[in-house]
Amino acid sequence: MSYSTQQIRNVALAGHPGAGKTTLFEALLHAGGAIQTAGTIERGSTVSDFDPMEKQRGHSIDAAIGSTDHAGIHLNLIDTPGYPDFRGPTLSALAAVETVAVVVDADTGISYGTQRMLEHAKARGLCRVIVVNKIDHPGAKLGALLDNLRETFGPEVLPLNLPAEGGKSVVNCFWQSTGTSNLGPVADWHQKIIDQVVEINETVMDHYLDVGEDGLSGQELHDAFEQCLREGHLVPVCFVSARSGAGVRELLDIAEKLFPHPGEANPPPFVKGSGEDAQPIIANPDPNAHVIADVFKIVNDPFVGKLGIFRVYQGTVKKDTQLFVDDGKKPFKVAHLFKLKGKDHVEVAQAIPGDIAAVAKIDELHFDAVLHDSHDEDHIHLAPLAFPKPMFGLALDVTRKGQEQKLAIALHRLAEEDPCFHVEHELETNETVIRGLSDLHLRVNLERLKDRYGVEVDARPPRIAYRETIGAKAEGHHRHKKQTGGAGQFGEVFLRIEPLPRGGGFEFVDEVKGGTIPGQFLPAVEKGVRQVLSGGAVAGYPMQDVRVIVYDGKHHPVDSKEVAFVAAGKKAFLDAIGKARPQVLEPIAELEVTAPEQHMGDISGGLSSKRARISGTDSVRGGEIVVKAQVPLSELEGYAAELKSVTAGRGRYALDFSHYEPVPAQVQQKLVESYKPHHEED
């Protein structure tokens, strides 16, 4: 059907692994008539889990997109992975939707993934809906679950419908006030949600108090409801069974009548410019305005090439449209425009504001690129999403000589698809290192490397990214003087160094007076200092969090040259470092381990042996605990296998970078001793 922006609903299905997001995705497409039969994970026939690895593993690895038309609306759905190992594609989807539907398993209830996705959606200003799935399971305690949801996430959590007939059906409690349900009389919940909705708007509240609910128009209730969603004053709960279909059509009806269209939700956080000069701008969902669209997903398809999937915020993208990428000077032509249904690409004539579409074979496209059709929209970008920092690393070597270039191209393409998968070349060790969110995350990408691109590698732990710094102020001095028969070399440097706060980086300060070091030679002094910064002074690791103040020196009118002041600056800096209590810093990770609570003792004991500082434990539904700790990254090699062993495969963990801090003295001594044979004094 043809549709307007007001008829579009964009919804991401998110939540904990195993909650039933993919099954619900199938059920909604089927109920809307987009597919004839709902696929199943067991048969490997779902629209969204079409990748062979997803079929083999039985869970989503990447986000998938589909759409359906229902009762006058066009619903764009994004099915996202539940495992924290694949948070990159999940969080990327938040840039394309107005509503996040967090799916909760009626059997296991609130899980870590439930809390995390609700927090991410709230931080992004998105409308939040909780969908309780599997309501027809015999052991599901739906009343207790609803109470727990309200206790955990606040009184703004209220049901829009209620399970009935033992989970075989649902009954609406927003639009109707009579009837019974498995959770008691409909009237009780109806009154609670109406009170919650009308109090958001003073005009509606006053009218409600004057004339009662029957005197309110449907538009008044809709507008107040939409305001509640936008401001987080209401987090509605919908009950479904994706397997049986109970509540699925009702969920589509709720999306039609109550979910916001692209013009109703909080405006996307676009800014123009960068840094302190960046100014917020409003993307107006006007189909006749200049185009503004954001690329939120890249797919390197073996048949159609690079596919850039984007959300249109303003203007209309049509076939043959000329679009610029970011601040590029040369536009590309939209030769083909696609809507996606899992792995299938359906060609369309246009994409209007609020819609999700894709273009193929445009090499300049990248994640978070802004597409526009006028230079008036140069320097515009979306506020960045808060992605976790990839902490797990593997160093790679090709198993067959001659495949180095092929490996580089393949890794680049994999990194384009996942903002949490990084590829680095470590100059210190000449290693190609991939970094991700977990061992599983990296192993999946290594499988893709082999299956998609035919590149096999040997993987091993990389060198830990230690850093060096100083612990005190000190002064340094060096006179560089060489006489070789002809013109000589002369440069003398006096400098002071001071530690900066952790994360302070590097500062170079010129306090030279009287021209004792001519201005043209100060860049050479800084170059010498930076050579030490990149190569380290005591253990061969890059140095950070230090201020260098050059305050005096000497020069020779004939023999002073740039090379002399590079050497003098480097040696003076090394001289000062030796007096400034040099320290080796190690990366500390924020670790969260989720496992059955009976393994708490084994987990805590294991972490204590790794110099971990346990900051707390939380109990979650389903008999699980979440242990939070700060752990040196160097201690976590092999932890995936260790955790699997002590929890019989039921434990999992996630890592985020926290900070750098000094290593223990005995560790620093070992690192320094191992570096000495390779130290060159220059």
Side-chain angles (χ1 to χ4, degrees), residues 11-17 19-21 24 78-82 90-91 93-94 99-104 113-114 116-118 121 129-131:
V11 180
L13 302 179
H16 203 69
K21 298 179 294 297
L24 180 59
I78 305 181
D79 179 26
T80 68
T90 299
L91 296 179
L94 301 188
T99 304
V100 177
V102 178
V103 184
V104 175
T114 311
R116 172 157 282 190
M117 286 315 303
L118 284 169
V129 177
I130 295 173
V131 179

Side-chain angles (χ1 to χ4, degrees), residues 35-164:
I35 55 177
Q36 291 185 338
T37 305
T40 67
I41 294 171
E42 293 77 12
R43 293 199 304 266
S45 56
T46 63
V47 170
S48 58
D49 287 357
F50 56 84
D51 185 279
M53 287 173 57
E54 291 177 316
K55 294 180 181 182
Q56 175 188 348
R57 293 173 180 271
H59 63 77
S60 300
I61 293 173
D62 208 346
I65 301 162
S67 59
T68 188
D69 298 315
H70 171 79
I73 65 165
H74 180 74
L75 177 63
N76 289 316
L77 287 169
I78 305 181
D79 179 26
T80 68
Y83 282 94
D85 315 74
F86 309 108
R87 269 179 285 169
T90 299
L91 296 179
S92 300
L94 301 188
V97 300
E98 288 77 42
T99 304
V100 177
V102 178
V103 184
V104 175
D105 188 325
D107 287 331
T108 58
I110 299 171
S111 299
Y112 178 64
T114 311
Q115 296 173 312
R116 172 157 282 190
M117 286 315 303
L118 284 169
E119 289 167 0
H120 281 303
K122 182 179 181 180
R124 196 67 178 178
L126 300 173
C127 301
R128 291 162 286 153
V129 177
I130 295 173
V131 179
V132 176
N133 187 27
K134 308 180 186 178
I135 61 172
D136 53 347
H137 282 208
K141 296 180 175 59
L142 301 178
L145 174 56
L146 183 56
D147 290 342
N148 197 19
L149 287 168
R150 287 169 55 78
E151 181 181 341
T152 304
F153 302 114
E156 62 268 26
V157 174
L158 285 165
L160 277 177
N161 57 30
L162 299 164

